[in-house]
C-alpha cells in the first residue's frame, strides 16, 4: 500500500489523553466492576492502552461489526461479526470504539447490548467526527474531535493497512 501520511495526533498526545480518560473512568466507577467491550478491529490498540489506564476491576470482551468495506466512506449498513460471550445482566459496561463517524455502528451496538439489561452502558471513543453524525448517539467519554477527513493509524486502517502506526494520521493522496 502506497501513500504518504500526515500526522494529525501524535503518539504523545494520544498517550496523554488515554491516561486522562482512564483516570476519569476510574473515578466515575470507583468501587464498581467493569466489563470493557473492545469493538474490533480498529480499537484494539486504544483498548489495550485504555484498560491499563483504568484502576478498577475489569473483565474484557470483544465484539466485531462492519460498516466499511475497503472504501473510505460508510456503506450505512451495519453487520454483526463476533458477539460477546458473557451475560451483561446487572453489569457496568463500557463500549470502546475507535471512531464514531455517522454513529450508526455505535447505535447498533448500544441497542444490541442495552436489551441485555446492564446496570449501566457507556461508550468511550478515541475519535469523533461531529460533522458526519447521522444519528444522535451518546459518547460519554470522547478522546478527540476531528473534521471529516479519513484517518488511519493507532489501530485504524485503510484497506487493512496502516493499523500499526503509533499516531493518528490522514492519508495524503
Ligand atoms: P459509523 O458507523 O460511525 O459511521 O462508523 C464507525 C466505523 O467506521 C468505525 O468504527 C471505523 O471502523 C470506520 N471509520 C469511520 N471513519 C473512519 C476513518 O476516518 N478512518 C478509518 N480507518 N475508519 C473509519
Amino acid at each position: 500500500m502506497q501513500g504518504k501520511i500526515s500526522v494529525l495526533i501524535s503518539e504523545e498526545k494520544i498517550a496523554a489523553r488515554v491516561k486522562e480518560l482512564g483516570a476519569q473512568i476510574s473515578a466515575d466507577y470507583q468501587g464498581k466492576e467493569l466489563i470493557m467491550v473492545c469493538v474490533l478491529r480498529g480499537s484494539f490498540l486504544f483498548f489495550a492502552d485504555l484498560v491499563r489506564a483504568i484502576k478498577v476491576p475489569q473483565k474484557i470482551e470483544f465484539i466485531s461489526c462492519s460498516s466499511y468495506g475497503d472504501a473510505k466512506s460508510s456503506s450505512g449498513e451495519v453487520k454483526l461479526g463476533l458477539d460477546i460471550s458473557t451475560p451483561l445482566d446487572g453489569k457496568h459496561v463500557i463500549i470502546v470504539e475507535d471512531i464514531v463517524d455517522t454513529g450508526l455502528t455505535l447505535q447498533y451496538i448500544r441497542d444490541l447490548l442495552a436489551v441485555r439489561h446492564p446496570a449501566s452502558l457507556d461508550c468511550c471513543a478515541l475519535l469523533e467526527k461531529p460533522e458526519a453524525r447521522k444519528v444522535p448517539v451518546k459518547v460519554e467519554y470522547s478522546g478527540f474531535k476531528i473534521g471529516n477527513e479519513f484517518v488511519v493509524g493507532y489501530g485504524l486502517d485503510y484497506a487493512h493497512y496502516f493499523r500499526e502506526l503509533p499516531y493518528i494520521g490522514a492519508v495524503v493522496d
Side-chain angles (χ1 to χ4, degrees):
M1 166 66 60
Q2 299 292 312
K4 256 190 94 188
I5 312 289
S6 78
V7 179
L8 267 187
I9 308 171
S10 68
E11 196 174 346
E12 293 73 24
K13 275 194 181 154
I14 295 170
R17 189 70 186 116
V18 171
K19 266 195 171 172
E20 286 174 2
L21 290 169
Q24 200 185 336
I25 291 170
S26 305
D28 292 351
Y29 284 91
Q30 210 180 9
K32 294 176 181 154
E33 227 181 87
L34 281 168
I35 295 190
M36 302 294 292
V37 178
C38 175
V39 184
L40 294 172
R41 294 176 219 165
S43 69
F44 80 108
L45 290 180
F46 175 47
F47 186 79
D49 289 338
L50 182 68
V51 295
R52 286 180 289 178
I54 295 176
K55 307 299 176 200
V56 300
Q58 313 166 55
K59 289 181 181 168
I60 64 166
E61 283 289 332
F62 297 91
I63 196 168
S64 83
C65 280
S66 58
S67 67
Y68 272 75
D70 284 349
K72 286 202 262 179
S73 63
S74 175
S75 66
E77 186 195 342
V78 183
K79 284 188 206 144
L80 180 67
L82 176 79
D83 198 353
I84 61 170
S85 59
T86 194
L88 299 182
D89 202 21
K91 308 286 188 196
H92 297 284
V93 179
I94 298 185
I95 300 162
V96 181
E97 260 283 28
D98 52 356
I99 183 163
V100 181
D101 183 16
T102 61
L104 289 165
T105 306
L106 180 57
Q107 187 181 52
Y108 176 89
I109 297 171
R110 285 196 88 118
D111 291 349
L112 183 80
L113 302 186
V115 295
R116 300 179 189 177
H117 310 294
S120 65
L121 182 62
D122 284 348
C123 173
C124 179
L126 177 68
L127 302 166
E128 277 194 86
K129 288 184 190 170
E131 292 158 35
R133 195 66 59 86
K134 284 187 183 158
V135 286
V137 65
K138 260 182 132 182
V139 178
E140 286 80 1
Y141 302 97
S142 176
F144 302 93
K145 292 194 170 49
I146 61 169
N148 245 344
E149 62 234 299
F150 190 84
V151 293
V152 296
Y154 195 58
L156 288 141
D157 76 311
Y158 175 37
H160 304 290
Y161 288 93
F162 304 124
R163 290 194 197 274
E164 73 282 8
L165 297 177
Y167 52 83
I168 301 285
V171 185
V172 185
D173 290 321

